[in-house]
Amino acid sequence: MLKLESIESYYGKIQALKGISLEVPEGEIVAILGANGAGKSTTLRTISGLIQPQKGQIYFQEKPIHRAEPHQIVRMGICQVPEGRDIFMGLSVQENLKMGAFTRNDSQAIQNDLERIFQSFPILKERAKQQAGTLSGGEQQMLAIARGLMSNPKLMLLDEPSLGLAPLLVEEIFRIIREINKEGVTILLVEQNANMALQTAQYGYVMETGTVALHDTAENLIQNDYVRKVYLGAS
């Protein structure tokens, strides 16, 4: 579904991605692991069109998208749930969800999707009229994911969805991620909680200083001595 070929991205003169290549098969969950500064979020921002790569190509469903604008990429079926959630704090939960459908004009389908979201996230239905800034951290993360789903994506880019959440909420967020995938949405997941990410994904990439240092099936990465020592805390 998604293919990156030798992507190089910069912040000014600083090179953040140094020839990244990766693939995301349709229907799967693929994880990107790595320390802070490895280039994980930059990879997602480059896919989303927020950063234009200086070299390399990105293909979505075999169509080049590396020169497309962010709103065009959303319309193609890619949505990103950014690190830190970035919900509209001053808007209500329901208004946030409707903002997720801003590229769509199928009003009846939007309303149907909103009802489906409320079935999947009952806490958001309870909080529908509540200002988003008053939600707990876990509820805000659910809202960010649900808002992304309102764009009716084929591919969802999730950036650190468990960041700052208590262990029980982390379990709930990953349960939701698996459910979304079962419903047919392909997922590219950036996550520092390597253990949860590899238990959830089918395939994984390990990034270090703007490059792919290692990639394999999630099952093999869990057994890899280097991954176990550096990312899974094994002695």
Side-chain angles (χ1 to χ4, degrees):
M1 177 175 271
L2 180 74
K3 187 174 186 178
L4 278 65
E5 294 182 344
S6 304
I7 290 294
E8 296 184 14
S9 293
Y10 289 75
Y11 292 107
K13 294 183 178 179
I14 299 171
Q15 187 172 6
L17 300 182
K18 306 170 183 176
I20 292 292
S21 296
L22 61 83
E23 295 184 10
V24 181
E26 185 171 358
E28 293 197 2
I29 301 175
V30 174
I32 302 178
L33 313 178
N36 285 335
K40 307 183 304 296
S41 293
T42 304
T43 299
L44 297 192
R45 289 169 63 83
T46 303
I47 295 166
S48 296
L50 298 170
I51 298 172
Q52 291 281 329
Q54 291 200 13
K55 291 184 180 178
Q57 296 82 38
I58 304 174
Y59 296 94
F60 178 63
Q61 296 184 317
E62 301 184 352
K63 296 177 182 177
I65 64 168
H66 44 277
R67 293 289 176 259
E69 294 294 326
H71 67 276
Q72 296 171 322
I73 289 172
V74 173
R75 286 194 174 98
M76 291 175 193
I78 299 176
C79 84
Q80 180 171 345
V81 179
E83 180 183 352
R85 296 145 201 163
D86 276 357
I87 58 174
F88 300 104
M89 295 292 189
L91 299 183
S92 71
V93 167
Q94 185 160 312
E95 287 167 339
N96 266 272
L97 292 171
K98 288 185 175 179
M99 285 295 291
F102 82 102
T103 60
R104 301 171 58 185
N105 53 21
D106 48 344
S107 56
Q108 186 55 55
I110 290 171
Q111 187 59 40
N112 293 342
D113 285 346
L114 185 62
E115 291 303 320
R116 193 164 74 247
I117 289 291
F118 282 149
Q119 288 177 8
S120 299
F121 298 87
I123 191 67
L124 297 184
K125 185 172 185 178
E126 288 179 28
R127 307 272 197 269
K129 304 299 183 185
Q130 190 171 318
Q131 201 172 60
T134 65
L135 300 178
S136 70
E139 290 165 352
Q140 288 185 13
Q141 186 62 69
M142 290 180 197
L143 177 57
I145 293 172
R147 184 184 62 185
L149 287 172
M150 285 297 294
S151 70
N152 197 23
K154 300 171 186 172
L155 172 65
M156 186 171 253
L157 313 176
L158 296 176
D159 196 354
E160 302 286 6
S162 76
L163 189 67
L165 299 183
L168 278 176
L169 284 172
V170 171
E171 293 278 355
E172 176 67 6
I173 290 297
F174 273 90
R175 183 195 65 78
I176 289 167
I177 290 169
R178 287 189 287 268
E179 286 299 317
I180 292 169
N181 180 243
K182 283 179 185 175
E183 291 174 5
V185 180
T186 304
I187 293 173
L188 180 58
L189 169 69
V190 161
E191 179 57 57
Q192 282 196 338
N193 188 332
N195 192 39
M196 287 296 293
L198 292 177
Q199 287 181 35
T200 303
Q202 286 83 40
Y203 203 87
Y205 290 81
V206 178
M207 289 187 65
E208 294 181 355
T209 59
T211 63
V212 173
L214 182 65
H215 62 94
D216 206 336
T217 64
E219 188 176 357
N220 286 344
L221 288 176
I222 288 172
Q223 302 301 324
N224 181 281
D225 288 341
Y226 177 75
V227 173
R228 286 172 60 80
K229 182 178 180 181
V230 176
Y231 295 101
L232 300 179
S235 56

